[in-house]
Amino acid sequence: MSAEATNPSATGRRRGRPRIDLRRLGRAALLGPTARDRLPDAIGHVADAHRAHHPDADLAVLRRAYELAESSHRGQFRKSGEPYITHPLAVTLILAELGAETTTLTASLLHDTVEDTELTLDQVREEFGEEVAYLVDGVTKLEKVDYGAAAEPETFRKMLVATGNDVRVMSIKLADRLHNMRTLGVMRPEKQARIAKVTRDVLIPLAERLGVQALKTELEDLVFAILHPAEYERTRALIARNADAGDALVTVADGVRTVLRDAGITAEVLVRPRHFVSVHRVSLKRGELRGTDFGRLLVLVGEDADCYAVLGELHTCFTPVISEFKDFIAAPKFNLYQSLHTAVAAPDGAVAEVLIRTHQMHKVAEAGVVALGNPYAAAPPDGSETADDGERADPTRPGWLSRLLDWQQSAPDPDTFWTSLRADLAQDGEITVFLPDGGTLALPGGATCVDAAYEQHGTAAHACVGARVNGRLATLGTVLHDGDTVQPLLAEDAGSGPSPDWLEHARTPTARIAISHWLASHPHDADAPAADPRPPAAVVTGRQPTANAVVDAPHTGVRLAGCCTPVPPDDVTGFAVRGGAVTVHRAECPAVRRMENLGRRPVTVRWSGAAPCRVTLVAESFGRPRLLADLTEAIATAGAAIVSATVEPPSEQRVRHTYTLQLPDATGLPALMRAMRDVPGVYDVSRAQHPPSAQ
C-alpha cells in the first residue's frame, strides 16, 4: 500500500527520525474533536495557507474532510511511527502553500482513505460530490493482488488518463510523492532506490511538464541524495564551505535596486539560492565556482512591459552576457513558464544570472498548473473560451499530455506502456511545427518527419514516402526544429508500409508503437524494398556509339570518360592515355584537377556537329510502388533510350536509380532531366560522377 499504514501493535516499526512538525501534527490529530465554531488545531495552519491565496474560501468543507480522514485513518501509523493522518495533512499543506483551490485540498485530505481504510468511493461521492470523488479515485492505487507486477505501470496509466480529464489528479500525486520522499529514510535502502528511480524517471518529468517547479526542485534534491550519495555529499560540503557566497549576490542585488529605483521602476529584487542539483550541474559546467554562482537574482515587477524595461536598464548599466539572454515571455515554454533570462557582469568581473518576471508569472513558475485554480469551472456564457471543436480551450491539456493519452491506447501491454512512458518523458522540451494549411503539431524536442507523419495521419502514415520541410524535400529521418513547416508526403498506394529503419528515426511512442505493430503483423513485407518490388536491374542493350568529340590530331581515337559522361554542349577537355587515344572529361570533373596536379598535359577537344550522345543520370527519390515504371515511362516519353539501369536497395526510405541513356540529340538533355524530376517522389536528378578508372 502506498499509504505506508501499519498495525498499531507493530511497535518495532516505529523508528526513524520524524520531522518535528509532523509530531506536532500527530499530537493535534489525537486531541479529538473541537468546538463547532473552529477548525481542528491540526489543520489550522492549512487553513491559514489556503486563505493566504483564497481569502474568501469556505473552510467548512475542509473541516468535514479532515474529520472524515482522521476518523478513517485512526489507529493507523506510518512506518516512521507518526499517526497516519499526518501524511494527508502534510500533502494538503504542500498544495495549500502552492495556492491550490478548496476542491483539490479536500481531495488531498481524503486521497488515501479509499485505498487504505474501510471508506468507499461511493461514500466519498455522497458526502463531497462527484468532483472530489474523481480526484480521490484518480490517485488510488490498483491492488497488487489483482494486477501483480503490472500494478505499478497500470496505476500510472490510470492516473495519467484521469489527469487528462482533470489535471488536479497529478497535482495531488506529486505532493503525495514529495512527502513520501521526505520521509523515505525509514525504508530499506533497496526500496528507497526503487522509489527514487521511479520518481526520477516519471514524477520529476511530469512535475516539469506541469510547471510545478517548487515540487520538481525538491524532488530532484531528494532523489540526488539517494541515488548519488557521494556527489550529494560533495555538493553539500561545497555549499557549506561557501556559506557566505550569497554576499556577492547581495552586493549585485543592491546595485540592481539602485539602478531600477533611479529609473523609476517599481520592482522587488530577491536573491534565490540554487538548490543542490542546480549547484552540482553548474559545478560540472564551470568547474571552480564563484560566489555569484551559488544563486540567481529574481526581479519581480507588476506588468509585462516592466520586464523589458528592467532588461533595458540592466543591459545599459551593467555589462550583459548576451549568450545568456532568453525571452520566455514572448515565447513561453511548453509548461506555461514565462520569464526573461539574462546575466550581467559586476564591476569586479563576477557574473550574476538574473530572472525577470511579473508576480503572476512567478506564481505560475513556482506552482504551474496548481496556480491556475480550477480550470474546469463553467465556461463563460459568451463561449469565449470554447475551442474550434466545441471543447473548452484548456491550458492544462498541453500537447505532450494529449499525445500521451493517444498513444497509451495503443500500448495494452504494461511493459510496453511503462517503457514508452519513460522514453516519452525523457524527451527534453517540446517544439511546435506548422502544417501547410496553417495547423500546428506539438512534438517533443528531437522529433523527426516520421513523428510528424504519425502525429498528423495516425496509421495512415504507414504510406509516407517523404516530407517537405520549409518547402524543401527532406528524408523521413530529418530532425525538426521549433517553427519548421512540415508536410508529410503519402503514397497513393495505401498498401505500402514502413521499413524497420523507421524505428531509428521515431522519437514519439505514437510512431514507435504504430511502426512496431505494423512490422509485427507484416513480417515478410518488412524485408521488401520500399520502392518497386522488382529486384535491381542491370541491363546492357548495346555498345557505346562513336562520340562526336574531336581533337586536332588526325587519326586519334576519342572516348568519353565514364566518370562525368560529357555531352554537348558541355565545356570539355581531354588527356592522352595509353594506346594513343584521348579521354574526354567535363571541365569541372574532379579527375581534371587530379590529372593537372600530376603534370598531365590537357588536349583541346571540341564538339562537332549533332550526333547521338550517351549520358549517365542519377535519380534520387523516395521509395514508393511503381516508381521504376513511372521513371522509365518518363524517359521513354522524352525520346531517350535506356542503355542500362540499376536500382540500389532502399536506404532510409530513399532509392537511388542510375540510368545510362542514349539521346538522339544532346540538346534534349535538360528537358529529359526536368521530366524525370517531375515524377512524383523524385527529388533530384543529376549527371553521374563516378570515380575515374586508372588511365
Side-chain angles (χ1 to χ4, degrees):
M1 295 188 299
S2 67
E4 303 178 10
T6 61
N7 191 299
S9 63
T11 56
R13 297 185 183 181
R14 301 185 193 179
R15 60 181 183 273
R17 295 180 294 174
R19 295 165 63 91
I20 295 176
D21 59 325
L22 293 182
R23 279 196 182 280
R24 180 172 60 80
L25 289 176
R27 287 196 299 272
L30 295 176
L31 289 178
T34 60
R36 288 181 176 273
D37 60 345
R38 58 190 292 264
L39 288 168
D41 292 338
I43 60 168
H45 60 304
V46 173
D48 293 340
H50 186 38
R51 279 281 174 84
H53 293 277
H54 304 277
D56 300 326
D58 180 8
L59 302 181
V61 67
L62 290 182
R63 175 194 177 101
R64 290 191 292 115
Y66 167 76
E67 290 175 345
L68 180 58
E70 191 278 327
S71 62
S72 299
H73 289 297
R74 189 174 297 163
Q76 292 181 332
F77 293 83
R78 305 196 84 217
K79 290 185 177 180
S80 57
E82 293 113 0
Y84 192 80
I85 189 61
T86 60
H87 171 64
L89 277 170
V91 172
T92 305
L93 177 59
I94 291 170
L95 291 169
E97 290 175 338
L98 288 174
E101 39 71 56
T102 308
T103 302
T104 303
L105 301 186
T106 303
S108 175
L109 284 168
L110 299 167
H111 79 272
D112 275 336
T113 53
V114 174
E115 181 179 335
D116 292 323
T117 75
E118 298 300 319
L119 192 69
T120 67
L121 193 62
D122 287 338
Q123 289 172 314
V124 173
R125 183 180 294 108
E126 181 180 353
E127 183 69 21
F128 297 98
E130 185 62 41
E131 214 171 354
V132 172
Y134 184 87
L135 298 179
V136 172
D137 183 48
V139 295
T140 299
K141 282 189 175 181
L142 300 173
E143 291 290 344
K144 283 190 177 181
V145 68
D146 297 324
Y147 287 85
E152 184 172 40
E154 288 303 320
T155 293
F156 270 99
R157 187 203 296 266
K158 169 178 174 278
M159 199 175 305
L160 288 165
V161 171
T163 299
N165 293 323
D166 195 327
V167 75
R168 293 173 293 181
V169 170
M170 190 54 63
S171 300
I172 297 173
K173 177 59 182 177
L174 290 172
D176 173 68
R177 179 53 62 94
L178 175 57
H179 183 247
N180 283 333
M181 289 294 296
R182 287 174 177 174
T183 58
L184 205 58
V186 297
M187 298 284 189
R188 298 187 308 275
E190 59 272 20
K191 189 169 184 179
Q192 290 185 39
R194 184 185 67 79
I195 294 174
K197 287 178 181 176
V198 174
T199 303
R200 176 196 63 193
D201 296 344
V202 180
L203 273 303
I204 289 176
L206 284 172
E208 167 72 16
R209 280 157 174 71
L210 293 173
V212 195
Q213 295 297 319
L215 302 187
K216 174 194 173 244
T217 53
E218 186 174 352
L219 284 172
E220 282 184 330
D221 284 349
L222 292 167
V223 167
F224 186 40
I226 293 172
L227 298 183
H228 305 282
E231 289 88 344
Y232 177 84
E233 283 302 319
R234 280 197 293 270
T235 304
R236 186 193 60 76
L238 176 64
I239 294 174
R241 289 196 305 270
N242 293 271
D244 58 348
D247 295 344
L249 276 175
V250 170
T251 302
V252 179
D254 290 340
V256 171
R257 291 189 189 97
T258 300
V259 167
L260 298 182
R261 184 170 57 251
D262 293 344
I265 300 174
T266 302
E268 185 179 359
V269 182
L270 305 173
V271 174
R272 286 171 59 90
R274 292 183 184 273
H275 63 107
F276 278 47
V277 171
S278 181
V279 171
H280 176 66
R281 290 170 179 161
V282 172
S283 65
L284 293 178
K285 178 181 177 181
R286 302 178 185 173
E288 185 175 353
L289 300 184
R290 305 181 63 170
T292 53
D293 293 328
F294 288 89
R296 291 185 287 191
L297 296 185
L298 174 63
V299 181
L300 299 177
V301 295
E303 303 291 339
D304 291 12
D306 295 335
C307 295
Y308 293 97
V310 170
L311 180 70
E313 292 298 326
L314 293 182
H315 283 194
T316 299
C317 300
F318 295 88
T319 302
V321 182
I322 301 301
S323 61
E324 296 291 328
F325 173 68
K326 297 181 181 68
D327 187 346
F328 294 118
I329 295 179
K333 295 178 70 174
F334 67 94
N335 60 0
L336 309 178
Y337 177 86
Q338 288 183 287
S339 280
L340 295 179
H341 288 206
T342 190
V344 295
D348 62 353
V351 175
E353 295 183 29
V354 185
L355 309 178
I356 309 168
R357 59 180 72 140
T358 66
H359 291 279
Q360 177 61 24
M361 290 175 190
H362 181 59
K363 181 180 178 182
V364 175
E366 292 294 294
V369 295
V370 179
L372 298 178
N374 182 5
Y376 307 97
D382 60 2
S384 58
E385 295 185 21
T386 302
D388 294 338
D389 58 2
E391 297 183 0
R392 289 187 63 233
D394 183 0
T396 68
R397 182 71 178 271
W400 67 268
L401 183 54
S402 296
R403 289 197 311 272
L404 188 155
L405 295 174
D406 289 340
W407 68 252
Q408 66 86 24
Q409 296 178 355
S410 304
D413 175 55
D415 290 337
T416 301
F417 167 76
W418 197 230
T419 302
S420 299
L421 175 64
R422 294 185 180 210
D424 193 11
L425 294 176
Q427 302 292 340
D428 183 20
E430 184 164 298
I431 63 172
T432 299
V433 297
F434 295 89
L435 300 174
D437 62 2
T440 61
L441 296 176
L443 297 169
T448 65
C449 294
V450 171
D451 301 305
Y454 281 93
E455 183 66 21
Q456 181 182 3
H457 298 292
T459 56
H462 292 332
C464 190
V465 295
R468 291 184 182 273
V469 178
N470 300 324
R472 299 177 65 86
L473 287 163
T475 63
L476 289 176
T478 301
V479 175
L480 301 172
H481 299 92
D482 199 36
D484 281 348
T485 298
V486 61
Q487 180 187 6
L489 305 175
L490 305 186
E492 295 181 1
D493 181 9
S496 60
S499 61
D501 59 0
W502 286 23
L503 289 172
E504 299 178 8
H505 308 305
R507 297 292 179 268
T508 61
T510 301
R512 296 188 63 84
I513 291 173
I515 295 168
S516 298
H517 282 180
W518 192 92
L519 294 176
S521 59
H522 299 77
H524 301 294
D525 295 345
D527 298 327
D532 193 285
R534 288 172 288 183
V539 183
V540 178
T541 60
R543 296 178 58 86
Q544 180 176 352
T546 303
N548 59 341
V550 296
V551 295
D552 292 336
H555 310 296
T556 300
V558 177
R559 70 184 189 192
L560 304 180
C563 58
C564 56
T565 58
V567 297
D570 291 340
D571 186 13
V572 291
T573 188
F575 292 92
V577 296
R578 288 188 297 272
V582 172
T583 299
V584 179
H585 295 263
R586 292 161 63 188
E588 65 269 24
C589 179
V592 172
R593 290 189 294 275
R594 286 194 291 270
M595 294 282 195
E596 292 174 342
N597 292 336
L598 292 173
R600 303 280 292 276
R601 255 182 157 177
V603 176
T604 301
V605 181
R606 67 179 185 278
W607 298 106
S608 67
C613 72
R614 180 173 296 185
V615 64
T616 300
L617 300 179
V618 177
E620 301 279 356
S621 65
F622 298 116
R624 65 171 179 84
R626 292 193 50 80
L627 177 61
L628 183 59
D630 291 346
L631 267 171
T632 53
E633 181 180 356
I635 292 170
T637 302
I642 300 176
V643 178
S644 66
T646 59
V647 181
E648 299 177 11
S651 174
E652 297 184 359
Q653 197 62 13
R654 291 181 297 177
V655 185
R656 182 185 177 95
H657 306 249
T658 303
Y659 298 95
T660 299
L661 307 173
Q662 184 169 328
L663 288 79
D665 187 346
T667 57
L669 180 59
L672 169 63
M673 296 176 69
R674 283 195 300 271
M676 294 175 66
R677 289 193 187 101
D678 289 339
V679 173
V682 177
Y683 60 87
D684 190 27
V685 176
S686 61
R687 300 275 292 278
Q689 291 282 356
H690 302 297
S693 57
Q695 298 182 17

